[in-house]
Each structure stands twice: as structure tokens, then as C-alpha cells.
Amino acid sequence: MSTLLTAQNILLNTSLSTKEEAIEKAGRILVEQGYVTENYVAEMKKREELTSTFMGNFVAIPHGTEEAKTEVIASGLSFLQVPEGVEWNGEEVKLVIGIAGKDGEHLELLSQIAIVCSEMENVEKLASASSEQEIIQIFEDADV
């Protein structure tokens, strides 16, 4: 997972007012780091309209629609730490993890993140981490 989640893909102590802003920011990182085309961000927003990407435990995992697969250049993740939380369809989200999966890696990425974030202890560590390396380490320690 270390090549998918790098320090450049992580924003610490982010303040967001809406889930739309969160999706835009998570998608923008994926674009800037060369994982996806510009169109992927619009597909992430479209996906959210179809069904919420809120996963429970203060975690949302926005990603593109099935049609967006052609917009993915390489698999990658973006990570937004939102200590104050952002409202997500009536739920509070403190971790926003954007996903781009190439060649069917999408579901594998989702399940790896779900494994890490199913442990509330990990979510709390991720939400309070003070460095990008700390966040990367939590995923690496989970050995997913």
C-alpha cells in the first residue's frame, strides 16, 4: 500500500464545510499526483449521488463510478484528516479516503481500507495522527 499512499497524498488537519468540498479535495489530490484524469473528480461526485460512500466509524471513501474506470491512470489513494469532522448525509466523517483503482484493484483497495478502519482504535489513531508518516505506518502495520 506504500506506493498507493504517499505523504504527498495526505492532508492533515483539513477543515471542510461540505461533503462536496471533501470529494473535490480528495479527487484533486488524485489528479495532481497523476493517478486519474480531471474527469474522475466529476465521476466521484456522480458516484456519491448514486449511493453514499460513508462507511461508518467516521470514514467516507469517495470513488468514481463504474464508467470512470477509463479515467484511472494508476491505482492510488488520497487521504484527508478532518479532526472537526464534516457532515456526510447526517453522519460525521473525520477521515476521507479517495480511491482510484486500476484494472480491478478498486475492490481490493476498498477491502483493505475497510479492514483498517473497522477497528475504531485505528480510526482514532488516523484522526489524531500528527504526521503523514504516522498515517502511512498505521496502514502498513495493519499489513493489508
Side-chain angles (χ1 to χ4, degrees), residues 54-76:
F54 174 75
M55 306 302 274
N57 281 6
F58 303 103
V59 179
I61 307 177
H63 51 281
T65 59
E66 193 63 24
E67 293 75 38
K69 286 193 292 197
T70 56
E71 307 298 332
V72 178
I73 299 160
S75 293

PDB file of all heavy atoms in Angstrom, residues 54-76:
ATOM      1  N   PHE A  54     -20.223   6.872   2.619  1.00  0.00           N
ATOM      2  CA  PHE A  54     -19.980   6.817   4.055  1.00  0.00           C
ATOM      3  C   PHE A  54     -19.909   5.352   4.464  1.00  0.00           C
ATOM      4  O   PHE A  54     -20.764   4.556   4.097  1.00  0.00           O
ATOM      5  CB  PHE A  54     -21.101   7.535   4.821  1.00  0.00           C
ATOM      6  CG  PHE A  54     -20.982   7.398   6.309  1.00  0.00           C
ATOM      7  CD1 PHE A  54     -20.030   8.133   7.003  1.00  0.00           C
ATOM      8  CD2 PHE A  54     -21.799   6.533   7.014  1.00  0.00           C
ATOM      9  CE1 PHE A  54     -19.904   8.013   8.386  1.00  0.00           C
ATOM     10  CE2 PHE A  54     -21.685   6.404   8.392  1.00  0.00           C
ATOM     11  CZ  PHE A  54     -20.729   7.140   9.078  1.00  0.00           C
ATOM     12  N   MET A  55     -18.852   4.982   5.205  1.00  0.00           N
ATOM     13  CA  MET A  55     -18.636   3.569   5.540  1.00  0.00           C
ATOM     14  C   MET A  55     -18.866   3.255   7.018  1.00  0.00           C
ATOM     15  O   MET A  55     -18.690   2.122   7.435  1.00  0.00           O
ATOM     16  CB  MET A  55     -17.195   3.159   5.187  1.00  0.00           C
ATOM     17  CG  MET A  55     -16.780   3.448   3.758  1.00  0.00           C
ATOM     18  SD  MET A  55     -17.818   2.669   2.528  1.00  0.00           S
ATOM     19  CE  MET A  55     -17.035   1.082   2.416  1.00  0.00           C
ATOM     20  N   GLY A  56     -19.183   4.262   7.828  1.00  0.00           N
ATOM     21  CA  GLY A  56     -19.284   4.045   9.270  1.00  0.00           C
ATOM     22  C   GLY A  56     -17.962   4.392   9.928  1.00  0.00           C
ATOM     23  O   GLY A  56     -16.967   4.642   9.250  1.00  0.00           O
ATOM     24  N   ASN A  57     -17.943   4.410  11.270  1.00  0.00           N
ATOM     25  CA  ASN A  57     -16.712   4.704  12.023  1.00  0.00           C
ATOM     26  C   ASN A  57     -16.045   6.014  11.602  1.00  0.00           C
ATOM     27  O   ASN A  57     -14.814   6.081  11.572  1.00  0.00           O
ATOM     28  CB  ASN A  57     -15.702   3.558  11.898  1.00  0.00           C
ATOM     29  CG  ASN A  57     -16.028   2.397  12.800  1.00  0.00           C
ATOM     30  OD1 ASN A  57     -17.062   2.391  13.449  1.00  0.00           O
ATOM     31  ND2 ASN A  57     -15.164   1.413  12.855  1.00  0.00           N
ATOM     32  N   PHE A  58     -16.841   7.018  11.233  1.00  0.00           N
ATOM     33  CA  PHE A  58     -16.309   8.340  10.864  1.00  0.00           C
ATOM     34  C   PHE A  58     -15.506   8.325   9.559  1.00  0.00           C
ATOM     35  O   PHE A  58     -14.675   9.195   9.334  1.00  0.00           O
ATOM     36  CB  PHE A  58     -15.425   8.930  11.983  1.00  0.00           C
ATOM     37  CG  PHE A  58     -16.128   9.057  13.298  1.00  0.00           C
ATOM     38  CD1 PHE A  58     -15.894   8.155  14.319  1.00  0.00           C
ATOM     39  CD2 PHE A  58     -17.040  10.085  13.508  1.00  0.00           C
ATOM     40  CE1 PHE A  58     -16.556   8.266  15.535  1.00  0.00           C
ATOM     41  CE2 PHE A  58     -17.711  10.203  14.720  1.00  0.00           C
ATOM     42  CZ  PHE A  58     -17.463   9.288  15.736  1.00  0.00           C
ATOM     43  N   VAL A  59     -15.742   7.336   8.697  1.00  0.00           N
ATOM     44  CA  VAL A  59     -14.948   7.177   7.470  1.00  0.00           C
ATOM     45  C   VAL A  59     -15.845   7.243   6.232  1.00  0.00           C
ATOM     46  O   VAL A  59     -16.885   6.602   6.172  1.00  0.00           O
ATOM     47  CB  VAL A  59     -14.199   5.820   7.472  1.00  0.00           C
ATOM     48  CG1 VAL A  59     -13.391   5.648   6.190  1.00  0.00           C
ATOM     49  CG2 VAL A  59     -13.297   5.704   8.693  1.00  0.00           C
ATOM     50  N   ALA A  60     -15.385   8.018   5.231  1.00  0.00           N
ATOM     51  CA  ALA A  60     -16.029   8.022   3.911  1.00  0.00           C
ATOM     52  C   ALA A  60     -14.951   7.702   2.887  1.00  0.00           C
ATOM     53  O   ALA A  60     -13.793   8.116   3.032  1.00  0.00           O
ATOM     54  CB  ALA A  60     -16.660   9.374   3.613  1.00  0.00           C
ATOM     55  N   ILE A  61     -15.341   6.933   1.866  1.00  0.00           N
ATOM     56  CA  ILE A  61     -14.382   6.501   0.848  1.00  0.00           C
ATOM     57  C   ILE A  61     -14.920   6.856  -0.542  1.00  0.00           C
ATOM     58  O   ILE A  61     -15.428   6.000  -1.263  1.00  0.00           O
ATOM     59  CB  ILE A  61     -14.112   4.973   0.967  1.00  0.00           C
ATOM     60  CG1 ILE A  61     -13.708   4.615   2.391  1.00  0.00           C
ATOM     61  CG2 ILE A  61     -13.028   4.550  -0.014  1.00  0.00           C
ATOM     62  CD1 ILE A  61     -13.478   3.134   2.629  1.00  0.00           C
ATOM     63  N   PRO A  62     -14.839   8.145  -0.900  1.00  0.00           N
ATOM     64  CA  PRO A  62     -15.334   8.527  -2.227  1.00  0.00           C
ATOM     65  C   PRO A  62     -14.489   7.932  -3.351  1.00  0.00           C
ATOM     66  O   PRO A  62     -13.271   7.834  -3.239  1.00  0.00           O
ATOM     67  CB  PRO A  62     -15.249  10.054  -2.216  1.00  0.00           C
ATOM     68  CG  PRO A  62     -14.289  10.401  -1.138  1.00  0.00           C
ATOM     69  CD  PRO A  62     -14.311   9.277  -0.151  1.00  0.00           C
ATOM     70  N   HIS A  63     -15.175   7.502  -4.404  1.00  0.00           N
ATOM     71  CA  HIS A  63     -14.501   6.921  -5.564  1.00  0.00           C
ATOM     72  C   HIS A  63     -15.395   7.102  -6.779  1.00  0.00           C
ATOM     73  O   HIS A  63     -16.550   7.487  -6.649  1.00  0.00           O
ATOM     74  CB  HIS A  63     -14.180   5.445  -5.323  1.00  0.00           C
ATOM     75  CG  HIS A  63     -15.361   4.635  -4.858  1.00  0.00           C
ATOM     76  ND1 HIS A  63     -15.796   4.657  -3.552  1.00  0.00           N
ATOM     77  CD2 HIS A  63     -16.191   3.820  -5.519  1.00  0.00           C
ATOM     78  CE1 HIS A  63     -16.853   3.865  -3.435  1.00  0.00           C
ATOM     79  NE2 HIS A  63     -17.121   3.360  -4.617  1.00  0.00           N
ATOM     80  N   GLY A  64     -14.854   6.831  -7.941  1.00  0.00           N
ATOM     81  CA  GLY A  64     -15.590   7.055  -9.179  1.00  0.00           C
ATOM     82  C   GLY A  64     -16.637   5.995  -9.464  1.00  0.00           C
ATOM     83  O   GLY A  64     -16.674   4.950  -8.818  1.00  0.00           O
ATOM     84  N   THR A  65     -17.461   6.272 -10.456  1.00  0.00           N
ATOM     85  CA  THR A  65     -18.469   5.317 -10.906  1.00  0.00           C
ATOM     86  C   THR A  65     -17.794   4.205 -11.710  1.00  0.00           C
ATOM     87  O   THR A  65     -16.604   4.284 -12.034  1.00  0.00           O
ATOM     88  CB  THR A  65     -19.485   6.020 -11.836  1.00  0.00           C
ATOM     89  OG1 THR A  65     -18.763   6.558 -12.958  1.00  0.00           O
ATOM     90  CG2 THR A  65     -20.240   7.127 -11.120  1.00  0.00           C
ATOM     91  N   GLU A  66     -18.571   3.193 -12.040  1.00  0.00           N
ATOM     92  CA  GLU A  66     -18.069   2.090 -12.868  1.00  0.00           C
ATOM     93  C   GLU A  66     -17.550   2.630 -14.207  1.00  0.00           C
ATOM     94  O   GLU A  66     -16.523   2.191 -14.704  1.00  0.00           O
ATOM     95  CB  GLU A  66     -19.230   1.105 -13.099  1.00  0.00           C
ATOM     96  CG  GLU A  66     -18.842  -0.236 -13.659  1.00  0.00           C
ATOM     97  CD  GLU A  66     -17.941  -1.064 -12.752  1.00  0.00           C
ATOM     98  OE1 GLU A  66     -17.937  -0.866 -11.527  1.00  0.00           O
ATOM     99  OE2 GLU A  66     -17.217  -1.913 -13.302  1.00  0.00           O
ATOM    100  N   GLU A  67     -18.252   3.626 -14.760  1.00  0.00           N
ATOM    101  CA  GLU A  67     -17.858   4.222 -16.039  1.00  0.00           C
ATOM    102  C   GLU A  67     -16.517   4.965 -15.942  1.00  0.00           C
ATOM    103  O   GLU A  67     -15.850   5.212 -16.943  1.00  0.00           O
ATOM    104  CB  GLU A  67     -18.915   5.206 -16.537  1.00  0.00           C
ATOM    105  CG  GLU A  67     -20.238   4.567 -16.920  1.00  0.00           C
ATOM    106  CD  GLU A  67     -21.073   4.153 -15.712  1.00  0.00           C
ATOM    107  OE1 GLU A  67     -21.101   4.872 -14.698  1.00  0.00           O
ATOM    108  OE2 GLU A  67     -21.682   3.065 -15.783  1.00  0.00           O
ATOM    109  N   ALA A  68     -16.119   5.339 -14.720  1.00  0.00           N
ATOM    110  CA  ALA A  68     -14.903   6.135 -14.520  1.00  0.00           C
ATOM    111  C   ALA A  68     -13.625   5.314 -14.638  1.00  0.00           C
ATOM    112  O   ALA A  68     -12.534   5.872 -14.605  1.00  0.00           O
ATOM    113  CB  ALA A  68     -14.948   6.820 -13.160  1.00  0.00           C
ATOM    114  N   LYS A  69     -13.756   4.001 -14.792  1.00  0.00           N
ATOM    115  CA  LYS A  69     -12.563   3.149 -14.852  1.00  0.00           C
ATOM    116  C   LYS A  69     -11.574   3.606 -15.916  1.00  0.00           C
ATOM    117  O   LYS A  69     -10.368   3.511 -15.714  1.00  0.00           O
ATOM    118  CB  LYS A  69     -12.957   1.689 -15.110  1.00  0.00           C
ATOM    119  CG  LYS A  69     -13.553   1.018 -13.889  1.00  0.00           C
ATOM    120  CD  LYS A  69     -13.642  -0.479 -14.037  1.00  0.00           C
ATOM    121  CE  LYS A  69     -14.646  -0.881 -15.082  1.00  0.00           C
ATOM    122  NZ  LYS A  69     -15.056  -2.283 -14.980  1.00  0.00           N
ATOM    123  N   THR A  70     -12.088   4.123 -17.019  1.00  0.00           N
ATOM    124  CA  THR A  70     -11.208   4.574 -18.111  1.00  0.00           C
ATOM    125  C   THR A  70     -10.448   5.845 -17.747  1.00  0.00           C
ATOM    126  O   THR A  70      -9.487   6.200 -18.421  1.00  0.00           O
ATOM    127  CB  THR A  70     -12.023   4.824 -19.396  1.00  0.00           C
ATOM    128  OG1 THR A  70     -13.064   5.758 -19.091  1.00  0.00           O
ATOM    129  CG2 THR A  70     -12.629   3.537 -19.930  1.00  0.00           C
ATOM    130  N   GLU A  71     -10.887   6.533 -16.687  1.00  0.00           N
ATOM    131  CA  GLU A  71     -10.237   7.776 -16.251  1.00  0.00           C
ATOM    132  C   GLU A  71      -9.061   7.512 -15.302  1.00  0.00           C
ATOM    133  O   GLU A  71      -8.342   8.425 -14.924  1.00  0.00           O
ATOM    134  CB  GLU A  71     -11.249   8.690 -15.546  1.00  0.00           C
ATOM    135  CG  GLU A  71     -12.524   8.974 -16.320  1.00  0.00           C
ATOM    136  CD  GLU A  71     -12.300   9.696 -17.634  1.00  0.00           C
ATOM    137  OE1 GLU A  71     -11.310  10.434 -17.748  1.00  0.00           O
ATOM    138  OE2 GLU A  71     -13.116   9.517 -18.557  1.00  0.00           O
ATOM    139  N   VAL A  72      -8.895   6.241 -14.886  1.00  0.00           N
ATOM    140  CA  VAL A  72      -7.839   5.895 -13.934  1.00  0.00           C
ATOM    141  C   VAL A  72      -6.551   5.567 -14.688  1.00  0.00           C
ATOM    142  O   VAL A  72      -6.521   4.684 -15.542  1.00  0.00           O
ATOM    143  CB  VAL A  72      -8.258   4.689 -13.052  1.00  0.00           C
ATOM    144  CG1 VAL A  72      -7.120   4.308 -12.095  1.00  0.00           C
ATOM    145  CG2 VAL A  72      -9.522   5.015 -12.267  1.00  0.00           C
ATOM    146  N   ILE A  73      -5.494   6.300 -14.376  1.00  0.00           N
ATOM    147  CA  ILE A  73      -4.186   6.098 -14.999  1.00  0.00           C
ATOM    148  C   ILE A  73      -3.395   5.058 -14.212  1.00  0.00           C
ATOM    149  O   ILE A  73      -2.757   4.172 -14.766  1.00  0.00           O
ATOM    150  CB  ILE A  73      -3.410   7.442 -15.051  1.00  0.00           C
ATOM    151  CG1 ILE A  73      -4.206   8.455 -15.894  1.00  0.00           C
ATOM    152  CG2 ILE A  73      -1.998   7.239 -15.596  1.00  0.00           C
ATOM    153  CD1 ILE A  73      -3.823   9.900 -15.651  1.00  0.00           C
ATOM    154  N   ALA A  74      -3.461   5.154 -12.881  1.00  0.00           N
ATOM    155  CA  ALA A  74      -2.772   4.218 -11.992  1.00  0.00           C
ATOM    156  C   ALA A  74      -3.511   4.182 -10.665  1.00  0.00           C
ATOM    157  O   ALA A  74      -4.154   5.154 -10.280  1.00  0.00           O
ATOM    158  CB  ALA A  74      -1.330   4.671 -11.766  1.00  0.00           C
ATOM    159  N   SER A  75      -3.438   3.067  -9.962  1.00  0.00           N
ATOM    160  CA  SER A  75      -4.091   2.970  -8.657  1.00  0.00           C
ATOM    161  C   SER A  75      -3.430   3.918  -7.664  1.00  0.00           C
ATOM    162  O   SER A  75      -2.208   4.059  -7.655  1.00  0.00           O
ATOM    163  CB  SER A  75      -3.984   1.538  -8.122  1.00  0.00           C
ATOM    164  OG  SER A  75      -4.734   0.671  -8.931  1.00  0.00           O
ATOM    165  N   GLY A  76      -4.275   4.554  -6.855  1.00  0.00           N
ATOM    166  CA  GLY A  76      -3.757   5.464  -5.844  1.00  0.00           C
ATOM    167  C   GLY A  76      -4.819   5.840  -4.837  1.00  0.00           C
ATOM    168  O   GLY A  76      -6.014   5.604  -5.049  1.00  0.00           O
TER     169      GLY A  76
END
